[in-house]
């Protein structure tokens, strides 16, 4: 795709989405941008470049590309959420007041309601108009540790949200939950995740689809392989439902659901489920282990 000065450069495609037969993707190379293709990924062009950093002269970072209806949203550095309400033709950005934090995490639960985090000690900000305006949730209060690192959040509904963070002073994961849309929060324990420290903030390994799904961080030790897909109904207890073989190069980078179809892609792996995540097969490698008697129909 063309760079700012017109020279062509190769890009690293990540987070693809589709609107009316046009494919959009985040370019994850050193030159962060949003690219698009109108001919089924044969040719590409650039819609939006990340701005240059004010201090170092380097490109700031785009963290994700989220589709909501026909709108596109790009969480970015410096408290900015880039957005387009006309399928990428024009862009502006919403600037959160606490602009020292990057905006890394965004999830819509329906066409109107979505959340973005972290926003200071409010944890999350909420939109009820499809991303046009954002308002911080109430301050979390004393359930937050003194030194807190926000890792990820996942919303099962508008009211039920779980935040995973890291208590830097105690050097441990903590889990926060609200069931009233952020008006109140409480801590809970998830022992299996707490021991393994498997939730990370730099690739989308946690999602909700008729249950919670978590992809373990790659390069796991042990005979069971280096990548497992775990599922939980309540975020407290987890069971592995897919285990990769012992190849040291295999790891799942992204997991997404499209209606009842689940897809996990990564290095040397392509797993698919056609029954809402109940059973999975690896189309890339038949040596992987599916932890159910029945095979997922493809």
């Amino acid at each position: 795709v063309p760079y700012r000065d017109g020279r062509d450069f190769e890009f690293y495609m990540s987070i693809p989405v589709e609107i009316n037969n046009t494919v959009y993707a985040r370019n994850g190379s050193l030159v962060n941008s949003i690219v698009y293709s109108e001919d089924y990924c044969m040719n590409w062009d650039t819609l939006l470049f990340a701005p240059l950093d004010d201090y170092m002269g380097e490109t700031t970072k785009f963290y994700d590309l989220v589709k909501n209806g026909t709108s596109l949203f790009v969480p970015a550095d410096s408290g900015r959420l880039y957005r387009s309400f006309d399928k990428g033709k024009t862009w502006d950005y919403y600037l959160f007041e606490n602009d020292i934090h990057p905006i890394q995490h965004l999830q819509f639960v329906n066409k109107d309601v979505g959340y973005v985090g972290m926003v200071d000690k409010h944890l999350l900000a909420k939109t009820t108009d499809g991303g046009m305006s954002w308002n911080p949730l109430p301050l979390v209060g004393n359930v937050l540790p003194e030194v807190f690192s926000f890792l990820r959040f996942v919303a099962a509904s508008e009211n039920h949200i779980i935040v995973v963070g890291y208590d830097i002073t105690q050097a441990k994961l903590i889990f926060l939950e609200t069931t009233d849309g952020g008006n109140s929060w409480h801590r809970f324990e998830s022992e299996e995740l707490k021991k393994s420290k498997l939730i990370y903030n730099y690739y989308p390994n946690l999602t909700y689809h008729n249950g919670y799904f978590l992809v373990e961080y790659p390069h796991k030790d042990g005979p069971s392989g280096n990548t497992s897909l775990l599922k939980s109904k309540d975020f407290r207890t987890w069971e592995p439902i897919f285990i990769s073989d012992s190849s040291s190069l295999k790891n799942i980078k992204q997991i997404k659901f499209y209606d009842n179809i689940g897809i996990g892609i990564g290095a040397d792996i392509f797993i698919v489920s056609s029954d809402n995540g109940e059973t999975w097969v690896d189309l890339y490698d038949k040596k992987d282990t599916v932890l159910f008697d029945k095979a997922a129909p493809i």
Side-chain angles (χ1 to χ4, degrees):
V1 291
Y3 185 50
R4 286 184 173 92
D5 59 8
R7 292 178 300 159
D8 286 347
F9 72 98
E10 295 182 355
F11 68 96
Y12 171 70
M13 189 175 77
S14 177
I15 321 292
V17 299
E18 178 270 338
I19 300 175
N20 297 339
N21 295 323
T22 298
V23 178
Y24 305 84
R26 180 177 69 88
N27 166 28
S29 72
L30 294 177
V31 182
N32 273 227
S33 61
I34 302 300
V35 297
Y36 76 104
S37 172
E38 296 179 320
D39 57 3
Y40 304 101
C41 304
M42 296 298 294
N43 296 281
W44 293 85
D45 205 344
T46 302
L47 284 170
L48 176 69
F49 283 105
L52 296 177
D53 185 274
D54 293 337
Y55 304 101
M56 302 296 294
E58 299 177 352
T59 300
T60 55
K61 188 169 184 179
F62 288 162
Y63 293 95
D64 203 350
L65 173 62
V66 177
K67 179 184 78 168
N68 185 42
T70 58
S71 300
L72 296 168
F73 296 87
V74 181
D77 277 339
S78 303
R80 295 177 179 181
L81 176 64
Y82 288 85
R83 56 196 186 171
S84 173
F85 298 103
D86 55 8
K87 294 181 286 188
K89 294 179 183 177
T90 60
W91 293 82
D92 65 2
Y93 63 83
Y94 185 94
L95 180 62
F96 290 88
E97 290 185 4
N98 185 8
D99 60 2
I100 63 172
H101 288 294
I103 302 299
Q104 292 179 269
H105 308 293
L106 169 64
Q107 181 185 346
F108 285 92
V109 296
N110 57 50
K111 67 181 182 65
D112 297 315
V113 177
Y115 295 93
V116 68
M118 171 183 184
V119 182
D120 201 17
K121 293 186 178 180
H122 300 273
L123 283 186
L124 303 172
K126 180 180 181 180
T127 181
T128 58
D129 55 13
M132 294 291 294
S133 62
W134 296 83
N135 295 294
L137 297 184
L139 289 168
V140 173
N142 57 11
V143 298
L144 270 184
E146 183 176 352
V147 185
F148 176 76
S149 176
F150 185 102
L151 293 180
R152 293 199 66 79
F153 82 93
V154 59
S157 68
E158 179 176 353
N159 293 317
H160 190 183
I161 308 167
I162 290 174
V163 169
V164 183
Y166 196 71
D167 184 337
I168 296 177
T169 302
Q170 298 294 322
K172 65 178 183 180
L173 288 176
I174 67 168
F175 306 92
L176 304 173
E177 182 177 42
T178 179
T179 56
D180 56 13
N183 290 314
S184 62
W185 294 83
H186 62 270
R187 288 201 199 188
F188 67 94
E189 297 297 324
S190 184
E191 290 298 330
E192 187 170 356
L193 300 188
K194 190 175 179 181
K195 288 185 296 183
S196 55
K197 300 179 182 179
L198 292 175
I199 296 180
Y200 289 76
N201 66 347
Y202 44 83
Y203 73 96
N205 65 337
L206 176 64
T207 191
Y208 180 86
H209 182 84
N210 297 322
Y212 299 95
F213 289 85
L214 173 72
V215 178
E216 289 184 324
Y217 187 64
H219 312 303
K220 171 189 167 193
D221 295 329
S224 61
N226 70 323
T227 299
S228 294
L229 177 62
L230 308 178
K231 184 178 181 181
S232 175
K233 294 181 179 179
D234 59 4
F235 216 92
R236 274 74 171 171
T237 59
W238 296 81
E239 62 172 344
I241 60 173
F242 176 89
I243 298 176
S244 73
D245 68 25
S246 58
S247 168
S248 62
L249 298 177
K250 295 173 71 82
N251 62 82
I252 302 171
K253 286 291 188 181
Q254 301 175 39
I255 180 170
K256 283 190 176 184
F257 283 90
Y258 305 87
D259 296 325
N260 67 318
I261 303 296
I263 296 176
I265 59 176
D268 296 338
I269 196 165
F270 191 143
I271 62 173
V272 178
S273 171
S274 58
D275 54 8
N276 288 305
E278 291 296 321
T279 56
W280 297 79
V281 293
D282 187 356
L283 302 184
Y284 190 94
D285 188 348
K286 301 303 181 184
K287 294 180 292 184
D288 288 323
T289 303
V290 179
L291 299 183
F292 286 90
D293 290 334
K294 63 177 183 175
I298 300 298

